Amino acid sequence: MTDDPAHLDEFVRPHWESSALLVVDMQNDFTDDGPLPVAGTTGVVPALASLAVAFRRARRPIVHVVRLYAGDDVDLVRRGAISRGDAVVRPGSAGSLIVDALLPGGAPPLDHELLLTGAEQPLGPLETAMWKPRWSAFHRTALDARLRRAGIDTVVVAGCNFPNCPRATLFDASSRDYRAVVATDATSGVDDARLTDARGIGVVPLGVVDIARRVAAL
């Protein structure tokens, strides 16, 4: 399920020295025993935690992208359930918090009020959290501008439920001419058919060990 970057076209080959890690929707409510469980999400936590450590050691940026369901600003497919009182990633709730194992030591709790303004919250050196209102981390957010300012041209995407938010994020990254990698064993919901779709737009599927080795070489 993974590719060898050495054999890739030069225009899609990842640039590890200008890469950032995007961790998508890894919140307690979406884990396997949460109120809106996504199968396999708990199982990818150890691999994703090790990937985050590799990026921290290489001093590469990490952005934790989260959902917060508040008021009417919710995907249409879930708006009815939320309006009826379903408590999923509700701002300020324990379920809305990022899985603790993925955070740097000493990270503060999520500041939901700050995030809902569209601002980024620092969690550690070169590590932040941001809110996205829909599937893609690029939709109605300042992510593109933030990455451009930091000189990022390659995004490594991992996290919860590949068919939805990680895949939407990868497609939007491709449409903005980012080189894009999906961490296959640090993302729940990955399968061969969807990886074939992703390869068709230049996304590079790689495992955590391979990504971490290449980032460590920096």
Side-chain angles (χ1 to χ4, degrees):
M1 291 205 306
T2 62
D3 295 340
D4 181 356
H7 298 151
L8 294 172
D9 182 273
E10 63 176 303
F11 293 105
V12 299
R13 189 178 302 127
H15 289 167
W16 302 108
E17 69 280 3
S18 50
S19 65
L21 174 62
L22 306 182
V23 180
V24 179
D25 290 355
M26 287 300 294
Q27 294 162 268
N28 292 323
D29 276 350
F30 299 136
T31 57
D32 289 46
D33 56 354
L36 190 60
V38 177
T41 297
T42 300
V44 303
V45 168
L48 184 45
S50 69
L51 184 59
V53 168
F55 270 75
R56 290 180 195 125
R57 288 176 176 168
R59 297 194 58 78
R60 300 306 312 153
I62 301 173
V63 181
H64 297 266
V65 190
V66 299
R67 280 298 187 93
L68 297 170
Y69 289 155
D72 293 328
D73 200 359
V74 177
D75 314 301
L76 291 178
V77 71
R78 292 177 182 158
R79 193 170 298 178
I82 298 301
S83 68
R84 290 189 295 271
D86 283 11
V88 179
V89 289
R90 180 173 290 174
S93 68
S96 69
L97 299 179
I98 296 166
V99 173
D100 189 63
L102 304 178
L103 294 171
L110 289 186
D111 185 338
H112 299 88
E113 292 183 359
L114 175 68
L115 293 172
L116 286 168
T117 70
E120 231 174 346
Q121 180 186 355
L123 299 178
L126 297 176
E127 195 158 352
T128 59
M130 60 164 279
W131 167 66
K132 63 178 177 60
R134 295 295 184 272
W135 311 111
S136 169
F138 289 94
H139 178 76
R140 273 176 49 203
T141 73
L143 179 61
D144 185 39
R146 292 165 180 162
L147 295 177
R148 303 286 183 192
R149 284 197 301 270
I152 302 300
D153 70 355
T154 298
V155 293
V156 177
V157 175
C160 175
N161 204 15
F162 183 70
N164 292 358
C165 297
R167 186 169 65 158
T169 297
L170 287 162
F171 271 69
D172 275 0
S174 175
S175 73
R176 290 163 172 79
D177 291 336
Y178 286 95
R179 298 161 189 264
V181 176
V182 57
T184 54
D185 50 349
T187 308
S188 58
V190 168
D191 62 34
D192 288 336
R194 292 189 175 102
L195 288 182
T196 297
D197 290 343
R199 285 187 180 96
I201 61 164
V203 174
V204 180
L206 288 173
V208 164
V209 170
D210 200 1
I211 298 170
R213 176 172 58 83
R214 293 170 189 279
V215 171
L218 299 174

